[in-house]
Amino acid sequence: MAKRTVIEAEGRGELGFTKLPFADVSAIEELAQEIANEFHDVVVIGIGGSDLGTRAVFHALKGSIYNLKEEVRAGAPRLFFAGDTTDPVALQEIIDVVDWQSAALVMVSKSGNTVEQMSVFIYLRNLLLEKVGDEQTKRAIITVTDATTGTLRQITDQEGYRSVAIPSDVGGRFSVLASPGLLPLAIVGVDIRSLLKGAADLRVDDERPAHYALIQYAAYRRTQRIHVIMPYTYNLREVGFWFRQLWAESLGKAKNLEGSEVHVSPTPIASLGPTDQHSQGQLYREGANDKTYTFVTVREPRVNMTIPAAFPRVEGVQYLAGHNFNEILLAEQQSTEVALQEVDRPTCCIVLDRLDEYHLGQLLFFFELATAYAGALFGINTYDQPGVERGKELMYEILGK
Ligand code: PA5
């Protein structure tokens, strides 16, 4: 029934995000190439759905030392993220390291009004004006926003900034495979066509996302209302935060589609293995049986190293010799999963063959579809966010808008 709801909505073209894998991205690629040729540094300004997906893919594919090593960048610009906070200390840290003589701002906001991005954007634009003047500032600002509405659209049209539109039927948290994610990612050399191909190959009628949603839904209806996602690949840690928003903002709803108060609240937790084995593992195994666990592993890592033999007279370390790091990582994941299963904690494991654009595209789209199915099972509106909007309204009141 829930599956039919989603597939029928998709068939009627109502689920904007399901069309994204098949979109023409030539214009985004062209603009990305222009920006990459013109600038040494790019600052992406976004928050929530205008930020988390880009970060997740960037960290998954480019790692954490991308900005530090020129040979890793292969001529592409450095990438910085701002706008996810108005903490001036965090902003100053970015200001201190960016090369402002050759910096572009990619300002991402679907509504075009959000205070975090807008305040950071205004500040950094002003900085650019001081450093490089009016003409270069105009060239250095690229916006990603709605095609027709919002304050950022108005500013874009007035100033003549280069811009790409966000499809009006794609919400922030479902937009990583649309312009908000694709433009910044293409600038740093991510193969966005492969990302989309991976998603496209996971057909909308594939059974697995629906099964995943059903398992989580059934667990929620039992006692497991907390849903832990725990990648065992360091570079997937930000995917956990992206999933956390997708699941929480889509499924945490006060009312069902009939308008009755239901307060649906499947609560996602972004965890990371093996790090959290040594931080949360005790709670996960022996605390209340109120959680499900989704592990994500990668079968063939980009690099692997073997532990050499060492300390021949110390028996306690001999077992490590000859094992490679990925074997150890998988052993850590398997032992955690078995330890949880021993005490009837529900677990599942998503295995990616490799961590590349194609497989990552599949993973992201898998979770987006699963979220759509889960929303249909709960009978709520998966695609609105009245709680977030209310917070924004109150903030505007406080700030005198
Ligand atoms: O997913 C969402 O709808 C939100 O997280 C928004 O992305 C976030 O509030 C930022 O909004 P906007 O991109 O409209 O500035």
Side-chain angles (χ1 to χ4, degrees):
M1 171 71 178
K3 194 162 177 224
R4 204 168 58 228
T5 310
V6 172
I7 289 177
E8 282 173 5
E10 201 269 336
R12 289 193 301 273
E14 285 169 16
L15 296 187
F17 81 91
T18 59
K19 292 180 249 165
L20 297 174
F22 311 98
D24 177 5
V25 291
S26 325
I28 292 179
E29 285 174 327
E30 263 169 49
L31 179 56
Q33 195 55 57
E34 275 176 37
I35 299 165
N37 292 343
E38 281 174 51
F39 299 97
H40 183 263
D41 285 350
V42 171
V43 183
V44 183
I45 305 173
I47 196 167
S50 296
D51 169 59
L52 291 164
T54 313
R55 268 182 212 260
V57 177
F58 175 71
H59 285 289
L61 299 175
K62 300 292 175 185
S64 44
I65 54 149
Y66 170 87
N67 281 351
L68 305 178
K69 292 190 87 172
E70 251 178 87
E71 57 272 34
V72 175
R73 292 203 302 281
R78 298 191 298 175
L79 193 71
F80 299 90
F81 291 91
D84 64 324
T85 175
T86 48
D87 183 338
V89 176
L91 185 58
Q92 187 62 50
E93 283 177 3
I94 290 172
I95 291 172
D96 288 345
V97 291
V98 167
D99 171 5
W100 292 101
Q101 293 306 315
S102 181
L105 303 179
V106 175
M107 166 65 172
V108 188
S109 176
K110 171 100 197 275
S111 64
N113 302 318
T114 309
V115 70
E116 287 86 355
Q117 289 109 302
M118 196 48 88
S119 52
V120 167
F121 169 64
I122 290 173
Y123 191 88
L124 293 182
R125 169 184 171 269
N126 207 50
L127 188 80
L128 267 181
L129 283 170
E130 283 166 18
K131 301 267 187 201
V132 297
D134 191 44
E135 205 179 315
Q136 191 173 321
T137 298
K138 279 214 165 113
R139 189 79 197 151
I141 291 173
I142 299 95
T143 66
V144 182
T145 190
D146 190 87
T148 52
T149 61
T151 312
L152 185 59
R153 169 52 51 200
Q154 191 188 341
I155 294 173
T156 301
D157 293 345
Q158 179 188 299
E159 300 294 310
Y161 295 146
R162 288 180 282 180
S163 183
V164 262
I166 304 177
S168 57
D169 54 358
V170 176
R173 58 191 173 275
F174 287 89
S175 70
V176 58
L177 300 177
S179 49
L182 297 183
L183 180 68
L185 292 168
I187 292 172
V188 294
V190 169
D191 179 353
I192 58 172
R193 283 178 193 254
S194 290
L195 198 66
L196 296 184
K197 173 84 172 77
D201 283 353
L202 187 79
R203 305 288 314 170
V204 80
D205 52 359
D206 190 298
E207 297 289 329
R208 291 167 297 174
H211 288 171
Y212 181 81
L214 189 57
I215 289 166
Q216 301 301 331
Y217 173 77
Y220 179 92
R221 288 285 173 228
R222 246 164 45 153
T223 54
Q224 288 99 2
R225 297 189 159 205
I226 300 172
H227 300 160
V228 177
I229 178 167
M230 194 168 181
Y232 265 74
T233 296
Y234 198 71
N235 284 4
L236 284 177
R237 69 192 183 285
E238 300 281 342
V239 168
F241 291 113
W242 168 82
F243 170 80
R244 189 174 68 152
Q245 184 208 9
L246 181 70
W247 202 247
E249 222 171 78
S250 302
L251 305 179
K253 298 288 155 72
K255 296 195 172 155
N256 65 13
L257 289 170
E258 281 79 50
S260 310
E261 297 242 349
V262 283
H263 298 284
V264 170
S265 58
T267 305
I269 297 219
S271 199
L272 179 68
T275 317
D276 286 351
Q277 267 175 245
H278 304 269
S279 149
Q280 308 296 296
Q282 174 63 29
L283 170 82
Y284 289 169
R285 190 171 192 278
E286 297 195 4
N289 191 355
D290 57 359
K291 303 175 194 64
T292 66
Y293 301 87
T294 301
F295 300 104
V296 186
T297 61
V298 175
R299 215 189 302 270
E300 291 168 29
R302 259 198 299 276
V303 292
N304 206 352
M305 302 96 157
T306 300
I307 321 275
F311 309 111
R313 290 195 301 279
V314 182
E315 207 191 316
V317 295
Q318 298 313 311
Y319 72 100
L320 287 173
H323 285 297
N324 66 51
F325 274 101
N326 204 46
E327 274 168 24
I328 297 175
L329 200 56
L330 294 180
E332 287 166 308
Q333 184 274 321
Q334 282 160 12
S335 53
T336 302
E337 190 163 5
V338 171
L340 291 168
Q341 287 170 352
E342 278 176 352
V343 286
D344 294 327
R345 276 29 179 189
T347 71
C348 67
C349 186
I350 298 172
V351 183
L352 305 186
D353 285 340
R354 280 175 298 287
L355 187 48
D356 55 15
E357 280 90 341
Y358 181 85
H359 293 89
L360 192 56
Q362 278 205 336
L363 182 72
L364 300 172
F365 200 52
F366 170 90
F367 280 130
E368 290 180 352
L369 287 171
T371 304
Y373 286 124
L377 285 162
F378 281 114
I380 46 106
N381 182 344
T382 313
Y383 308 100
D384 66 356
Q385 55 284 323
V388 180
E389 307 303 344
R390 181 66 189 135
K392 287 186 184 183
E393 278 164 24
L394 290 169
M395 186 159 48
Y396 292 144
E397 268 175 40
I398 294 169
L399 293 174
K401 186 179 177 192

